[in-house]
Amino acid sequence: MCRTSAILPLGILTLVVLSSAYVQNTHELYTTLFENYTNILRPVQNEQETVRVSVKFLLRGISEFDEVRGQLSLATAVDLRWRDTTLSWNRTEYSPRVLVLPETQIWTPRLALSNPTNRILLFFEDSFPVRLYSDGSVIWVQGGTIISTCVPNVEKYPFDVHKCYLVILVIPYTRAEVQLYPSIGLSTFEKFGEWELGNNSIEEQLYGGFFSSIVISLEIKRRPEFSLLSTILPILFLGVLNACVFLLPPEQGERVSYALTVLLSFAVFLSIISSVMPKNSEPVPILCYIITAMMAMSGLSTICTVLCLRWYFADQKQSVPYLLTIMCRKRKGKRRHQNCDITSDTAPHKENQTESTQLGECRVTWRDVSATFDIVNLHHRQSIKDLESYSQTSRHRRSSIY
């Protein structure tokens, strides 16, 4: 028991001594490394040497894609690695294997975006520490949101696919001074929101004839499920309802209000589509053409409804213009309309009497004109009358039998 109580304080004292030695050794290493070091100059021994920087983009997800402003926001991290030979040390002399330092303590390559929306430097407002190893290797991991411009292509909305390009370069060094070696990682990418990532590529190119740049090509695809349920299907249903306006009987007087309601519904959907589309999109979305055409058809059907109602409730004793009379006689001749009567007191028809002569004896009223232009309603009403006549004939036959 006494031996154990004596060993415990000795162990604590040993740890305190070793910790103090480590801190002192690290402090000496730091003082030695940065005694004559400056973070302004490139970390090379010879001016002709090129600093090779490995850049790996770790995409986290697509934060937002604003088609109206043409702005793409990407949540991503950037892993930069290079070698600073002026900051290496011997492990036998100094025990630390790695030093964690502020980014302002050593030279770091500043990445800039050539197609930004508000700021050029990546993650300029945030500070990220660097890891310095004994062999001079430096690892600098940054993270945040990259906001760049992207020209939208909404022609096939909501099945649109956009191709966006991010051009990143290190300033103000030329390729002979600093060269980038890019790569991209998608292991941390998460699918959330309205957009998903399609084909992508990354490569190093010469920018402006002097600078080493990274060109990232991304394919952004929209998930169409929500747009189909909230926009496309209601528009198709309204198109079907627009054709059903002629099924309403003209006597009820609900046709005009029905047609105007459908027309205003198309106008509302057109305003909704216009609010989520860029004002100067090239090419124009096909959906806008479709809605405009359906709106025009709805307006035409409203005009036809008003005219048909005016003709239906007009004075039937007034004469019908000659052109409308010809159109209605042809229609009545084909359908054998019940108003197309041949007077009974005329002479018997000759066998060689033509159909045009019979049509010439048809009497045309304003309701015939309304029924001619109201083709769908004409068929509907004619079928109802045929059913009524058939039911009356059946009842008459049953009564005669009994």
Side-chain angles (χ1 to χ4, degrees), residues 202-237:
I202 185 171
E203 59 181 350
E204 191 266 345
Q205 293 182 1
L206 188 63
Y207 182 83
F210 299 97
F211 303 100
S212 176
S213 66
I214 300 173
V215 179
I216 304 176
S217 176
L218 300 176
E219 193 177 74
I220 310 299
K221 296 181 180 180
R222 187 192 302 270
R223 294 177 178 172
E225 292 83 5
F226 178 78
S227 299
L228 285 174
L229 294 176
S230 61
T231 305
I232 306 301
L233 291 181
I235 290 175
L236 295 179
F237 293 154

Side-chain angles (χ1 to χ4, degrees), residues 25 29 88-98 133-135:
N25 188 267
L29 172 63
S88 60
W89 66 89
N90 191 350
R91 288 291 305 280
T92 59
E93 185 177 358
Y94 298 100
S95 57
R97 183 179 64 89
V98 61
Y133 291 85
S134 60
D135 59 349

Side-chain angles (χ1 to χ4, degrees), residues 114-314:
S114 68
N115 54 342
T117 57
N118 52 4
R119 61 181 185 181
I120 298 178
L121 294 178
L122 299 184
F123 322 121
F124 179 75
E125 299 176 353
D126 302 322
S127 178
F128 301 91
V130 296
R131 295 178 63 87
L132 176 63
Y133 291 85
S134 60
D135 59 349
S137 300
V138 182
I139 299 178
W140 188 27
V141 179
Q142 309 173 74
T145 303
I146 299 177
I147 304 176
S148 68
T149 58
C150 179
V151 179
N153 183 6
V154 291
E155 180 183 8
K156 298 180 181 179
Y157 177 89
F159 303 97
D160 47 338
V161 178
H162 309 269
K163 291 185 178 180
C164 304
Y165 299 93
L166 282 74
V167 181
I168 300 172
L169 60 154
V170 57
I171 55 173
Y173 302 102
T174 64
R175 179 188 270 184
E177 296 170 340
V178 177
Q179 186 171 0
L180 304 176
Y181 294 86
S183 62
I184 190 169
L186 300 177
S187 58
T188 58
F189 186 83
E190 290 186 0
K191 297 180 180 180
F192 59 90
E194 186 181 2
W195 303 94
E196 61 181 7
L197 186 63
N199 299 328
N200 61 88
S201 63
I202 185 171
E203 59 181 350
E204 191 266 345
Q205 293 182 1
L206 188 63
Y207 182 83
F210 299 97
F211 303 100
S212 176
S213 66
I214 300 173
V215 179
I216 304 176
S217 176
L218 300 176
E219 193 177 74
I220 310 299
K221 296 181 180 180
R222 187 192 302 270
R223 294 177 178 172
E225 292 83 5
F226 178 78
S227 299
L228 285 174
L229 294 176
S230 61
T231 305
I232 306 301
L233 291 181
I235 290 175
L236 295 179
F237 293 154
L238 284 177
V240 175
L241 293 177
N242 190 29
C244 295
V245 64
F246 298 103
L247 295 178
L248 293 175
E251 296 85 356
Q252 295 183 357
E254 298 292 336
R255 282 190 171 190
V256 177
S257 59
Y258 180 93
L260 288 177
T261 302
V262 176
L263 179 62
L264 292 177
S265 300
F266 279 119
V268 170
F269 275 102
L270 185 60
S271 63
I272 293 175
I273 296 298
S274 300
S275 63
V276 298
M277 294 296 170
K279 300 300 182 286
N280 55 349
S281 60
E282 181 63 33
V284 179
I286 299 176
L287 184 61
C288 291
Y289 288 114
I290 296 176
I291 298 179
T292 304
M294 297 180 73
M295 229 182 126
M297 294 176 62
S298 180
L300 183 61
S301 66
T302 304
I303 296 174
C304 292
T305 301
V306 173
L307 291 177
C308 290
L309 290 178
R310 181 176 177 84
W311 291 334
Y312 186 84
F313 291 102

